[in-house]
Amino acid sequence: MNEEIDFILKKLPVGLIIFDRKSIFYTNKKANNFLGRFELPTEITTINNRIFDAIDSGRLTELFPGEIWFTKKFKDSPSHWIFRIYIYDKPNPIVYLVIIEETISNKLNMNETRQQFRLTRRETDILRRVLDGLKNAEIAEDLEISEQTVKDHLSNVYMKIGVENRTGLMRTLLYSSKANTEKQE
């Protein structure tokens, strides 16, 4: 069962960091990618300390009665990041943090884009990551394929959409999405 759980945690589309009283004791692949680019907001450490103090004093539900989350924008990121904190207080307390990136691809209807431009599912996987700002090497690592395969799929995407580069791709897809939204209104 541990192998299956490891697979699920590795493939989660969100970052997951688990803290015990002393430190981080687990990070999944998305969380490691985040930590490779950014530092955890200082609010996380402050909140974690307050949570463990509340658990120790028996006042967890009193001091943290609702959801704990916040959004943050980092200097070198086009995205906003959502941080959600969850608490497991028995028998060995842990705090887990879910990190969600609000990406451009999440704002587009990728199924509609796939159908409109007759993209394969794999081309759509690559396109989603390009829109989210990943480099070819990062896409290859994320999808567990070679960088050359990424380049080949990306060339097909450019041809099907009728653009020559990533800038043209972004412009075309955002314009296409805006036009489709205006038609529906």
Side-chain angles (χ1 to χ4, degrees), residues 86-97:
Y86 299 90
I87 306 164
Y88 179 77
D89 62 336
K90 302 171 195 163
N92 298 315
I94 60 171
V95 172
Y96 66 99
L97 171 67

Side-chain angles (χ1 to χ4, degrees), residues 35-95:
L35 293 171
R37 295 172 60 195
F38 308 107
E39 288 187 24
L40 273 180
T42 56
E43 296 93 332
I44 299 297
T45 303
T46 303
I47 292 169
N48 274 347
N49 291 337
R50 288 181 53 218
I51 288 170
F52 284 112
D53 288 346
I55 290 170
D56 291 343
S57 69
R59 299 176 58 207
L60 179 65
T61 54
E62 175 188 340
L63 297 173
F64 293 95
E67 294 181 342
I68 306 167
W69 68 276
F70 63 94
T71 303
K72 189 160 186 105
K73 178 102 167 80
F74 293 93
K75 180 182 176 190
D76 295 326
S77 174
S79 306
H80 283 86
W81 295 81
I82 301 169
F83 298 89
R84 295 186 69 110
I85 298 172
Y86 299 90
I87 306 164
Y88 179 77
D89 62 336
K90 302 171 195 163
N92 298 315
I94 60 171
V95 172

Side-chain angles (χ1 to χ4, degrees), residues 177-185:
S177 173
K178 183 180 176 186
N180 286 338
T181 304
E182 289 173 357
K183 282 181 190 177
Q184 292 173 359
E185 292 175 357

